[in-house]
Amino acid sequence: MKSFLQSHLKQLESEAIYIIREVAAQFERPVLLFSGGKDSILMAHLARKAFFPATIPFPLLHVDTGHNFDETIEYRDRFVEEIGARLIVRYVQDSIDQGRVVEETGPYASRNGLQTVTLLDALKEFKFEAAMGGARRDEEKARAKERFFSHRDAFGQWDPKNQRPELWNIFNGQKKHNESFRVFPISNWTELDVWMYAEQENIGLPNLYFSHQREIINRDGVLLAASDIVYPVGDEQIETRTVRFRTIGDMTCTGAVESPAATLADIIEEVASARVTERGARADDKRSEAAMEDRKKEGYF
């Protein structure tokens, strides 16, 4: 079984590295989207392997909502320095100040949906032709429709009916002026694959992913981290629970799960028996049945 898993992970690794190299070969100005979450960390790790001993030949781009966990930003800066990569950060707050987007108000407000405009502006600013992301097909039904090379029109929009065939892993990067691509090298990975690979490669990850005590607010079944931007409303109470996060994003919509998993081995065992997807704790996905697909059509990651 161990040799089978190693072979399985090796195949996934080889596929992802091949796609990353294809992006570097086909596009003059690619970029890797980096959030400080496990999937983008995995992507950066694979990019290092793809071009070793040279450094990663394209920059990393982080769209910062301003409502990130402190641990995520600390990890991001440390990680980028360690691998010697170039990091570009663009802020949702700047988009708000420039009148490009209107911030939501009230206790349920989130900046997560506002990232799209900031991202599209950044891609246009640097003339990036291909943006690589860590989306996986097992995460959500809208992402299950993706190709590796996901064509976007001049407005950054995704049309699932207009995706190109990818027979025998031949990728078509041809595009018209102002069109672009989103590329997802780890599309075929599962959450469990990511954790097993992280353990195999000894990849360091933010401590948010591991069991710890944190003050939380139970909001409609989603355990949100209490902070100055997430505070009790109505009958809600702040409680201290032992939790960890399966995904890391904007604090206003990223829910925790109660868990004693304190090591990678613990997480692997937990995920292997989980019956709820990792995005099951994301409040932003629950705004409508087609929330993710709607955002993708607007130009979301």
Side-chain angles (χ1 to χ4, degrees):
M1 176 61 78
K2 184 177 181 180
S3 62
F4 169 78
L5 291 176
Q6 289 175 336
S7 176
H8 170 68
L9 294 176
K10 186 65 177 178
Q11 182 177 357
L12 290 173
E13 177 192 70
S14 297
E15 178 183 64
I17 287 176
Y18 169 70
I19 294 167
I20 292 170
R21 288 173 176 166
E22 276 290 299
V23 171
Q26 293 197 39
F27 300 99
E28 292 185 12
R29 291 180 295 276
V31 67
L32 192 155
L33 303 178
F34 188 83
S35 66
K38 65 182 185 306
D39 297 320
S40 62
I41 294 168
L42 170 64
M43 286 283 297
H45 179 84
L46 291 167
R48 292 182 72 193
K49 279 198 162 189
F51 303 104
F52 186 83
T55 56
I56 299 175
F58 39 75
L60 279 55
L61 171 63
H62 182 209
V63 177
D64 188 343
T65 67
H67 292 166
N68 291 290
F69 291 92
D70 291 339
E71 296 95 327
T72 303
I73 301 302
E74 291 169 4
Y75 178 94
R76 179 199 70 186
D77 295 341
R78 184 174 66 253
F79 178 79
V80 169
E81 183 178 359
E82 288 175 357
I83 67 175
R86 175 190 172 202
L87 175 68
I88 299 170
V89 182
R90 288 297 178 266
Y91 300 92
V92 170
Q93 184 63 56
D94 290 339
S95 298
I96 295 171
D97 294 341
Q98 295 162 10
R100 296 282 292 142
V101 295
V102 178
E103 185 163 23
E104 297 178 1
T105 58
Y108 293 90
S110 174
R111 290 184 175 182
N112 200 55
L114 307 184
Q115 294 179 87
T116 299
V117 171
T118 309
L119 171 64
L120 293 176
D121 286 348
L123 297 179
K124 182 178 179 181
E125 176 186 355
F126 293 97
K127 297 181 172 61
F128 290 131
E129 302 168 298
M132 287 177 281
R136 307 186 323 270
R137 293 190 178 110
D138 76 319
E139 290 181 273
E140 206 272 342
K141 57 187 177 183
R143 287 181 167 171
K145 301 176 183 178
E146 288 280 14
R147 301 288 196 268
F148 285 111
F149 275 42
S150 183
H151 176 263
R152 303 299 172 98
D153 65 19
F155 300 99
Q157 296 174 322
W158 172 64
D159 181 1
K161 297 179 181 179
N162 194 34
Q163 293 301 300
R164 301 170 180 181
E166 294 179 343
L167 307 176
W168 306 292
N169 277 357
I170 297 175
F171 303 112
N172 182 358
Q174 296 296 312
K175 64 180 186 62
K176 297 178 182 178
H177 179 64
N178 285 336
E179 294 180 343
S180 62
F181 280 83
R182 305 294 171 80
V183 182
F184 305 106
I186 63 170
S187 286
N188 285 337
W189 296 56
T190 65
E191 182 188 9
L192 186 58
D193 293 330
V194 172
W195 287 116
M196 291 192 298
Y197 186 78
E199 182 183 48
Q200 175 182 288
E201 297 287 299
N202 195 28
I203 300 174
L205 295 165
N207 57 20
L208 290 166
Y209 283 117
F210 303 95
S211 179
H212 60 283
Q213 285 198 326
R214 182 175 290 269
E215 291 186 339
I216 64 94
I217 297 169
N218 187 337
R219 179 163 295 165
D220 300 327
V222 178
L223 305 182
L224 298 176
S227 67
D228 57 346
I229 56 174
V230 180
Y231 47 84
V233 178
D235 295 332
E236 294 176 346
Q237 300 290 328
I238 294 178
E239 308 173 59
T240 299
R241 297 195 192 181
T242 301
V243 300
R244 72 176 191 87
F245 293 85
R246 292 177 69 182
T247 66
I248 295 178
D250 191 291
M251 293 179 67
T252 60
C253 58
T254 303
V257 294
E258 292 192 271
S259 169
T263 66
L264 284 172
D266 293 339
I267 291 175
I268 290 169
E269 182 178 354
E270 181 179 270
V271 170
S273 60
R275 292 295 177 265
V276 178
T277 67
E278 62 187 300
R279 293 191 70 89
R282 292 293 295 256
D284 51 331
D285 289 351
K286 299 180 180 181
R287 291 194 170 197
S288 74
E289 289 186 2
M292 175 63 76
E293 186 156 344
D294 291 341
R295 290 203 301 271
K296 288 177 69 61
K297 288 180 178 178
E298 295 169 358
Y300 186 71
F301 303 122

